[in-house]
Amino acid sequence: MAVRPERNRMNRNNARKGMAAIAAACAALALTAAAEHKRRYPELPEKITAETPAQRDARMAWWRDARFGMFIHFGLYAAPARHEWVRSVEGIDNETYDSKYLPRFNPDLFDADEWAAQAKRAGMKYIVLTTKHHEGFCMWDTKTTDYKITKTAFGRDLVREYVDACRRAGLGVGFYFSIMDWHHPDYTVDNPHPLMTRLRKEGKKGKELEDAVAALNATRNMDRYREYMHAQIRELLTEYGKIDIIWYDFTPVSEKFGKTYKDWDAVKVVKMTRELQPGAIINNRLDLMETEDGWDFICPEQFKVQIWPTVRGRRVPWETCQTFSGSWGYSRDETTWKGVHQLVELLVHSVSKGGNLIMNVGPTARGTFDDRALERLDGFAKWMKVNSRSIYGCTMAPDGFAAPDGAALTWNEKTGRLYIHLFDYPMGYLPVAFIDKVEYAQFLHDGSEIKFRAKPPLAEAADGEQFGVMGGMELPVVKPAVEIPVIECWLKQ
Ligand code: GLC
C-alpha cells in the first residue's frame, strides 16, 4: 500500500520530535546522575580509572557466574571466642588483649588444603580470608609490623598457605583487609574504637567525651597510619601472586567521631589496587560510592535482599555476606545457628535477585571448622552436588515469569533454562503461571520427567477457572529427599 507523502512527512517529524525528546530525557538523566555523583563529595572524580563499563563487565564475569563463595574470619579473636568485635564491645585495650591472647595463639590444627576442600565440596567457587581484621593483627608475614602471626608460637605465614591451597583447589583467591585498625598507635579513636567504648563506659558524653577523644587523638596521626596501611596493601597485592577479590572493610561514616574516604586516601587505594592487581574485584566499603569505579560490587550484610539493588538508577553487581550464627569470628556460645533449609534458600534467593552469596565460617583458635559449621557446609555440599546447575551462571528470571507460591526462579541466560526452586513443597500439583512457555520439565536432582498440563486438573470436566487454579505441573505427593527440590524447565523458543 502506497503511503501518502504528507503521512510520511508527519511520521518523520514525529520521529524527529521523539528523538529530540529522548535526547532531552537522556541529557536530564545524565545531569541527575552527575548531580548524584557529586552529592556528598563534590571534589571526588566520577571516574578513577580509564576502564570502560564493558571491560569491567568482562573482568567480573567469572565472579558473577560463580555466585557462591566462602568468607573466612580468622584472627586472634578466635581465642576469646565471643565475636570478632570483642575488643570494641568490651572496650579492651591493646595491653590487655595482647598479653592474654598473643602468647597463647597457636592454630596448630590449621590445614589450608582442608579449608579449601570444604569450600569446594560445598560448591563454593572462591574464598575471601581476613588478612587483618579491625583488631589489627596480621595473618601474613608482613614487614610493616611485628604484630603478626609469624611472631606467634604458630610461626607460619597463614595467608601464604591459604593462597597456595586455594590455587591448588582451583578456587578464586580473595583478601579481606580491614582499613580500620584498633591496634595501631596512630589510628585515631572513632566510634567503633575500643577506647571510645571505654570512655563511654566511664559515663563520658557530650563535651566531656569530645575532650577526652581529642586528648587521646592528640598524639595520633592518620597520615602515618595511612602510610602503614598503604604499605600493607601493597605487600598483600605484590607478594602473593594474582589476587581475585579484595574486600576492604570499612569506613565508619558518621557526623561525629566518624571517618570518610579521605582518611584512607581511598582514591589512591583504588588506583594502587587497579595498578597492582588489574583483574581484582573490589567491594564498596571505601566510601567511594559517589565515584563510578571506586567499587565493583555492593555488599549488603546479613539481610535478605528483596529486589535487585540499583545505584543511580542502574542495577549493580552485588554479593550478600552472611554468617551461619550471627558472629563472623568463632563464637563458642552463640546458639542462633541457621538451619540447612534456611541457608540453601538464602543462596537460591540471592541468585534469584541477580546476586552472589558469600557464606562465612569462623574457624576455632586451633584452626579448624567446628562441627556446627561442618554440618551446614555438608548441607550445602549435598544440595549443590545435584543442583548447582540452577546456581552457576544463573541470574534473575526474565520479565513475564512469575514464581509460583513458595518458590523462587533462577535463569541461565546462556542455556535458556529456567529453574523453579520449591521452598514449600506443594501437595502434588504445582500451579505455574507461565506453563504455556514450558517445553519440557524435569527434577534437576535425578533428571526425571515432570508432566505438566496447560489447563488445570478437572478442566476437561468443567471450566477450570471456576476452581481458581491454573495450568501447572504434576509432582509426586511425597517430597523427594532433597532439601529444596528444583525443577529444570526447557522453554519454548
Ligand atoms: C563488618 C564487620 C565485620 C565483618 C564484616 C563482614 O562490617 O565490621 O566484623 O568482618 O563486616 O562483612
Side-chain angles (χ1 to χ4, degrees), residues 36-109:
E36 268 290 299
H37 269 292
K38 304 254 171 247
R39 206 166 38 97
R40 269 173 70 220
Y41 304 125
E43 73 286 358
L44 259 184
E46 213 172 289
K47 289 272 291 159
I48 294 174
T49 68
E51 189 179 45
T52 65
Q55 285 167 332
R56 177 201 242 182
D57 219 49
R59 177 165 57 80
M60 295 184 69
W62 76 267
W63 178 87
R64 244 188 343 257
D65 283 352
R67 286 301 181 216
F68 191 26
M70 177 183 274
F71 224 151
I72 301 181
H73 275 65
F74 193 42
L76 273 188
Y77 44 82
R82 47 184 193 274
H83 206 284
E84 75 287 353
W85 274 59
V86 60
R87 289 203 52 184
S88 170
V89 174
E90 298 178 15
I92 306 175
D93 60 30
N94 283 356
E95 295 66 35
T96 313
Y97 196 68
D98 294 349
S99 63
K100 258 178 125 176
Y101 306 119
L102 253 189
R104 280 141 202 153
F105 185 72
N106 185 3
D108 59 332
L109 299 179

Side-chain angles (χ1 to χ4, degrees), residues 263-444:
D263 288 286
W264 327 119
D265 195 346
V267 172
K268 187 168 170 197
V269 170
V270 169
K271 279 189 182 154
M272 178 162 75
T273 309
R274 301 289 189 216
E275 180 198 315
L276 299 175
Q277 293 284 346
I281 297 171
I282 313 182
N283 70 330
N284 72 328
R285 294 193 177 169
L286 288 167
D287 191 28
L288 290 178
M289 284 311 285
E290 260 75 2
T291 69
E292 214 28 53
D293 55 355
W295 54 280
D296 289 321
F297 67 92
I298 64 166
C299 43
E301 179 173 335
Q302 304 252 47
F303 62 85
K304 242 169 147 180
V305 169
Q306 290 311 312
I307 47 166
W308 193 326
T310 56
V311 173
R312 293 181 278 280
R314 187 173 53 88
R315 278 184 183 162
V316 292
W318 64 276
E319 170 194 76
T320 180
C321 45
Q322 302 272 346
T323 58
F324 286 146
S325 70
S327 172
W328 298 89
Y330 177 61
S331 186
R332 184 192 57 210
D333 302 335
E334 176 69 67
T335 53
T336 55
W337 284 67
K338 295 161 192 111
V340 170
H341 190 97
Q342 288 168 306
L343 292 166
V344 174
E345 183 173 324
L346 181 63
L347 171 64
V348 171
H349 183 89
S350 304
V351 179
S352 79
K353 309 282 179 214
N356 285 24
L357 168 67
I358 185 163
M359 199 69 238
N360 180 72
V361 180
T364 69
R366 301 288 303 276
T368 56
F369 292 179
D370 91 336
D371 287 345
R372 295 166 296 182
L374 288 173
E375 202 185 307
R376 270 107 192 136
L377 289 171
D378 193 51
F380 274 122
K382 284 207 180 85
W383 190 85
M384 284 295 276
K385 185 165 186 200
V386 287
N387 291 305
S388 63
R389 214 147 79 200
S390 75
I391 299 295
Y392 301 144
C394 288
T395 187
M396 190 160 106
D399 288 347
F401 290 86
D405 280 351
L409 305 178
T410 65
W411 181 57
N412 186 315
E413 203 175 344
K414 281 195 195 115
T415 64
R417 288 186 215 168
L418 188 85
Y419 298 92
I420 308 174
H421 302 78
L422 304 170
F423 298 154
D424 303 326
Y425 193 76
M427 294 185 303
Y429 184 73
L430 178 75
V432 176
F434 52 84
I435 200 69
D436 54 323
K437 296 181 181 145
V438 176
E439 184 184 80
Y440 184 81
Q442 65 177 22
F443 270 131
L444 182 53

